[in-house]
Amino acid sequence: MNLPFVYAPALGAVSLTVPGDCAPRAASARLAHLAKEDPVPQEEPWEVLLARANEGDGPAFARFLLAVTPTLRAVIRRRGVGLPPDQHEDVLQEVLLAIHLKRQTWRRGSPVRPWLYAVARYKVVDAFRRRGAFVTLPIEDFAEVLPEEAAAAPLSDRDAETMLGLIDARSARLVRAVALDGKTAAEAGKAVGMTAGAARVALHRAMRQLTVLAERMMK
Amino acid sequence: MSDRQSTDDLIRALAAAPAPAPFNPVVPAGAMFGLAAGGLAAFLVVFGLRPDLGAAWQDLGVQAKSLLPAVLCALALWLVLRASRPGTGLTLWPLALPLGAVLAMALLRLAGAEGALRAEVLGQTALACLTSITALSLVPLVAGILLLRRAASTRPVLTGALAGVAVSAGVASGYALHCTEDSPLFFGTWYGLAIGMVALVGAWLGHRFLRW
């Protein structure tokens, strides 16, 4: 860790001074099994992790993403004053996806942080600009009046399966039941133990997530 | 409105996905350079070098007509390659050096001028110059922009414009070997206009295709 991590102290301090920010540690615990496959200790420089990730080392990439996530959360929270906090996680996921898609543009041997912050700044500004055009209201208020999402955007089955793998398992089951098997939201919800309204909300979110993923994939 | 659980799932899915293919900025640069050189070679074979090239090359103005665009091309290409990776700062002022040199030459010419300047600026081949440089630039520019989609420029419009400058300045420096009008007033005006037009096209292409 003797590389010049110029930006680290400031950002670390931000993420520590914000109350209630202990969840990232819980996230690391949940993903600890990914790290267990590897004998290298946890305190690896981000440069080492990303270099190994770009050579195809999946667990190293998981540790890299977990390591940068608290910093990214802090960046998004600071920039996201005008945005409802419940959308910050969406923006974070867009940034993580961009990091994956563009990770080969980081030049091996150069510091990761300037690259990472440039990617994050670009995606965060982009995400906020797109959302800034709308008034955001919590979707729960509309649970009973939301129409059921009719069908997924036209995609090949293989693409659909790949993208369903990227969202959480329960949403994926809902989408599969409604969009691919033609069930109603109420039926699909019952199968996973949700009320019809909750299922419609979950579906709506899942579809929006999938739309974002599909846009990224097509690029 | 995703939750942290789904972020963990996303991280797990991304880690399981295969790593994207390595990115090499030499590929778009090489494609732009190669296609521009190929187009120029074909152009010069068909339309020929200027007949008096050997004698005219003694003149500083004739050398500048080829070398200043070549310098501009190299600088712009270098900046495009830097811009293709996030987090590398862009210093644009070096681009002003060849432009300033042309401006200085034009002003010197103006200072020592004695009438008939209008004819000197307009020249005989302005339209041929404009169309040749823009036409020869378009294919390499489009190819370069499409290959730069693999890159990740955080300033897509600027990157597209710089790619346009790089390609068209390179083409202009080769076209100068065909062109017989040696006044800095002529080539400053028309080469500059052609490079500017291609830069605009590049900026539009960048806006359209280089965002991610």
Side-chain angles (χ1 to χ4, degrees):
Chain A
M1 294 290 274
N2 51 1
L3 285 152
F5 287 163
V6 185
Y7 309 84
L11 283 160
V14 168
S15 79
L16 286 178
T17 50
V18 175
D21 192 34
C22 51
R25 237 164 285 148
S28 322
R30 275 203 294 279
L31 283 179
H33 69 277
L34 282 171
K36 237 180 266 168
E37 299 166 27
D38 217 284
V40 183
Q42 280 295 294
E43 295 283 312
E44 295 157 296
W46 293 359
E47 283 76 7
V48 173
L49 287 177
L50 189 53
R52 289 176 47 187
N54 280 354
E55 288 165 1
D57 183 343
F61 190 48
R63 289 203 303 280
F64 174 77
L65 292 179
L66 285 173
V68 302
T69 296
T71 306
L72 295 177
R73 279 209 178 92
V75 171
I76 293 169
R77 191 163 36 224
R78 265 192 313 179
R79 284 209 58 115
V81 185
L83 199 71
D86 55 1
Q87 293 199 10
H88 289 186
E89 203 70 8
D90 288 355
V91 178
L92 172 67
Q93 293 190 5
E94 286 176 31
V95 175
L96 290 175
L97 190 61
I99 288 173
H100 165 63
L101 292 173
K102 296 298 186 186
R103 56 173 144 146
Q104 298 282 4
T105 63
W106 170 67
R107 193 208 308 266
R108 234 195 133 111
S110 61
V112 162
R113 274 158 223 266
W115 177 86
L116 181 73
Y117 295 148
V119 172
R121 199 182 311 120
Y122 180 79
K123 291 310 291 183
V124 168
V125 168
D126 182 53
F128 282 41
R129 193 185 289 143
R130 261 186 292 118
R131 285 174 173 78
F134 312 105
V135 178
T136 46
L137 295 168
I139 192 175
E140 280 80 1
D141 300 351
F142 303 95
E144 293 310 316
V145 294
L146 268 178
E148 292 181 14
E149 300 280 352
L155 278 169
S156 79
D157 288 349
R158 198 171 51 85
D159 285 345
E161 284 305 321
T162 316
M163 291 200 308
L164 285 176
L166 291 173
I167 65 175
D168 65 290
R170 194 162 65 165
S171 305
R173 278 184 64 186
L174 281 174
V175 173
R176 206 170 274 130
V178 173
L180 304 181
D181 301 339
K183 293 187 180 152
T184 66
E187 289 167 357
K190 201 179 286 173
V192 294
M194 294 169 107
T195 66
R200 275 196 289 270
V201 170
L203 262 175
H204 181 84
R205 286 179 187 159
M207 294 311 290
R208 204 177 47 183
Q209 222 177 337
L210 287 171
T211 312
V212 172
L213 289 172
E215 279 171 13
R216 294 294 184 285
M217 279 191 155
M218 279 163 192
K219 278 186 185 174
Chain B
M1 277 169 271
S2 330
D3 54 18
R4 292 188 172 203
Q5 178 61 50
S6 69
T7 303
D8 288 354
D9 293 338
L10 175 71
I11 289 178
R12 204 175 289 125
L14 293 179
F23 166 71
N24 188 352
V26 174
V27 174
M32 284 194 282
F33 192 84
L35 285 169
L40 264 177
F43 175 87
L44 290 177
V45 164
V46 174
F47 295 99
L49 296 167
R50 59 187 294 178
D52 58 341
L53 182 63
W57 192 255
Q58 308 303 319
D59 181 33
L60 199 65
V62 176
Q63 293 177 14
K65 191 168 65 151
S66 270
L67 294 182
L68 289 178
V71 169
L72 185 63
C73 166
L75 288 171
L77 202 56
W78 175 70
L79 286 170
V80 168
L81 295 190
R82 279 185 68 84
S84 66
R85 297 179 191 273
T88 39
L90 285 186
T91 38
L92 294 176
W93 64 261
L95 291 178
L97 296 179
L99 299 179
V102 170
L103 196 63
M105 287 177 72
L107 287 176
L108 275 176
R109 180 72 195 88
L110 274 180
E114 66 299 311
L117 276 180
R118 184 166 175 274
E120 198 174 320
V121 172
L122 293 181
Q124 307 296 316
T125 59
L127 196 62
C129 158
L130 272 184
T131 44
S132 304
I133 293 178
T134 28
L136 287 171
S137 299
L138 286 181
V139 171
L141 177 61
V142 169
I145 296 275
L146 291 181
L147 288 168
L148 280 170
R149 281 166 68 84
R150 295 271 332 278
S153 171
T154 52
R155 297 167 81 178
V157 176
L158 178 65
T159 307
L162 285 170
V165 171
V167 166
S168 55
V171 168
S173 100
Y175 175 83
L177 302 176
H178 162 80
C179 166
T180 50
E181 312 215 36
D182 297 332
S183 165
L185 294 178
F186 176 85
F187 69 77
T189 306
W190 299 105
Y191 288 23
L193 196 60
I195 291 171
M197 275 164 38
V198 178
L200 275 181
V201 174
W204 179 77
L205 287 172
H207 175 72
R208 182 84 183 67
F209 293 109
L210 292 184
R211 286 185 299 169
W212 46 282

